[in-house]
Amino acid sequence: MSAIYNFCAGPAMLPQAVMQKAQQELINWNGLGVSVMEISHRSKEFMALTQHAEKTLRTLMDIPQNYHVLFMHGGGRGQFTNVVNNFLGDNGKALYLVNGQWSTAAVKEATKLVGENNIDQVNIIENIDGLNQVVLPDFSAHSDDYRYLHFCANETVDGIEIFDEIECPWPVVVDLSSTIMSRKIDVSKYGLIYAGAQKNIGPSGLSIVIVRDDMLQLPSLPQSSIMDYRIAQANDSMFNTPPTFAWYLAAEVFDWLTSVGGVAAMEALNQQKAQMLYDCIDNNPFYTNGVCKQNRSRMNVTFQLSDSSLDSEFLAQAELAGLVALKGHRVVGGMRASIYNAMPLVGVQALVDFMEAFAKQHS
Ligand SMILES: *Cc1c(COP(=O)(O)O)cnc(C)c1O
């Protein structure tokens, strides 16, 4: 079989080396004669795995000591709920920046949880202009007292990324589901970072939460124990049975990322991959991307064919060439190539070659 390059937005492709290792270890992990899925999460072998995973992640992201790392259930959306329930007790207010589909979904969840009568607990700023450019508000004169400001650093559906740090007087909560470890970020600027695993980390269902210690003092609402950050922290993310296989695979991805040079090396590669693809789009009138240059996502490259009646033929031919899952999100249409950490440069090169040939054939 010739190479298949999978551009799925999520669950996304995982590094081939990791998948091969997992396959080898599937029925005999660590010489135990059983798989990692079939042992106690409290066994010393599994505990060693979790400690290693945390340590590796701390090094990769340079996470300061006053932050806890939690491995939770519920993916990205699970944290839409958890941040509200953990931080907005006793009528606290939050501010949400909205610049795409996922930040909109986070607002929807927050307003549902505070309830119709308390809608003023969730304030919103739409910070995208008509040019698909993110304009960050100036918060210096803001007198409101917010428990947190929430934003989504990479809008996976729309292909819009915010590269700037947000400067504001409140703790910043960021959804990094589709951009975590694709570039360096300064963890110390955030109150809480979360990410569903299935884009840059591992299997879906798992959620990584990095939370600053003082955030756990905020008053919380009565809530399910498995979603409570304090309980997760006090129980080493094992209040109930954690998603052990996902945790194992995440640890393998962290090791792989370390072995290829860590986040800085990945950032350079990701820049190169995205540049190749955007250059192809910009240099060819057959393709367009409407996102302003400084907010073009490095992870999710959206593009349209100038003649959308060719969309299905484009997708069919791409698939024949081994380039799969390029169809855009159903809400925005067009195409989307998700090029997370695991996508090799040759995969992007293959896509660019295909796009150039397809455009030539149809112009
Ligand atoms: C994928 C994604 C989510 C949702 O993740 P689930 O695990 O499906 O809940 C949330 N935010 C962003 C930015 C995403 O890309």
Side-chain angles (χ1 to χ4, degrees), residues 121-142:
Q121 282 182 267
V122 178
N123 288 9
I124 301 164
I125 296 183
E126 298 206 18
N127 62 329
I128 188 129
D129 69 9
L131 300 168
N132 264 331
Q133 169 174 304
V134 176
V135 183
L136 292 176
D138 177 5
F139 295 115
S140 51
H142 249 265

Side-chain angles (χ1 to χ4, degrees), residues 73-105:
H73 301 273
R77 282 186 192 262
Q79 305 314 321
F80 292 178
T81 303
N82 292 359
V83 293
V84 175
N85 286 347
N86 280 273
F87 300 148
L88 283 196
D90 75 6
N91 301 319
K93 283 184 168 192
L95 180 60
Y96 280 72
L97 300 186
V98 172
N99 44 265
Q101 300 287 330
W102 281 116
S103 46
T104 302

Side-chain angles (χ1 to χ4, degrees), residues 60-315:
L60 281 168
M61 292 185 69
D62 201 6
I63 301 173
Q65 280 309 314
N66 60 327
Y67 284 72
H68 303 287
V69 177
L70 310 176
F71 289 75
M72 298 187 76
H73 301 273
R77 282 186 192 262
Q79 305 314 321
F80 292 178
T81 303
N82 292 359
V83 293
V84 175
N85 286 347
N86 280 273
F87 300 148
L88 283 196
D90 75 6
N91 301 319
K93 283 184 168 192
L95 180 60
Y96 280 72
L97 300 186
V98 172
N99 44 265
Q101 300 287 330
W102 281 116
S103 46
T104 302
V107 168
K108 209 169 151 199
E109 193 72 5
T111 45
K112 177 182 153 192
L113 288 167
V114 297
E116 244 168 65
N117 296 333
N118 302 311
I119 215 80
D120 63 338
Q121 282 182 267
V122 178
N123 288 9
I124 301 164
I125 296 183
E126 298 206 18
N127 62 329
I128 188 129
D129 69 9
L131 300 168
N132 264 331
Q133 169 174 304
V134 176
V135 183
L136 292 176
D138 177 5
F139 295 115
S140 51
H142 249 265
S143 57
D144 284 299
D145 191 16
Y146 292 116
R147 292 274 165 79
Y148 61 86
L149 174 147
H150 178 281
F151 84 107
C152 175
N154 184 57
E155 290 283 3
T156 319
V157 172
D158 314 80
I160 293 172
E161 186 158 359
I162 299 176
F163 294 95
D164 295 328
E165 305 273 12
I166 308 251
E167 300 293 343
C168 72
W170 318 290
V172 178
V173 171
V174 64
D175 178 357
L176 285 189
S177 293
S178 52
T179 192
I180 190 164
M181 293 187 289
S182 68
R183 57 183 164 91
K184 273 185 105 95
I185 62 147
D186 181 352
V187 174
S188 73
K189 302 259 186 207
Y190 297 92
L192 183 140
I193 291 168
Y194 66 86
Q198 70 272 28
K199 280 80 182 223
N200 256 342
I201 293 170
S204 58
L206 177 71
S207 184
I208 304 284
V209 175
I210 302 165
V211 60
R212 204 174 60 215
D213 196 41
D214 63 280
M215 295 295 288
L216 301 182
Q217 308 305 321
L218 291 173
S220 64
L221 295 169
Q223 61 176 310
S224 158
S225 299
I226 64 162
M227 305 180 90
D228 189 322
Y229 292 141
R230 295 152 196 84
I231 292 179
Q233 190 272 318
N235 290 276
D236 296 327
S237 305
M238 291 197 187
F239 175 74
N240 75 328
T241 314
T244 53
F245 186 73
W247 204 333
Y248 152 81
L249 213 70
E252 292 295 330
V253 170
F254 299 157
D255 282 346
W256 167 80
L257 187 48
T258 306
S259 76
V260 297
V263 174
M266 198 45 76
E267 176 167 3
L269 182 63
N270 285 333
Q271 253 166 336
Q272 198 186 347
K273 279 154 47 184
Q275 189 69 48
M276 267 168 69
L277 202 40
Y278 285 118
D279 280 350
C280 166
I281 293 164
D282 291 341
N283 294 337
N284 202 318
F286 196 81
Y287 302 106
T288 55
N289 166 288
V291 182
C292 111
K293 286 199 174 151
Q294 78 237 39
N295 292 118
R296 282 175 162 184
S297 170
R298 262 182 224 154
M299 295 286 102
N300 310 95
V301 178
T302 52
F303 60 95
Q304 287 76 39
L305 273 56
S306 53
D307 177 0
S308 62
S309 71
L310 290 169
D311 281 3
S312 48
E313 194 185 335
F314 179 91
L315 289 166

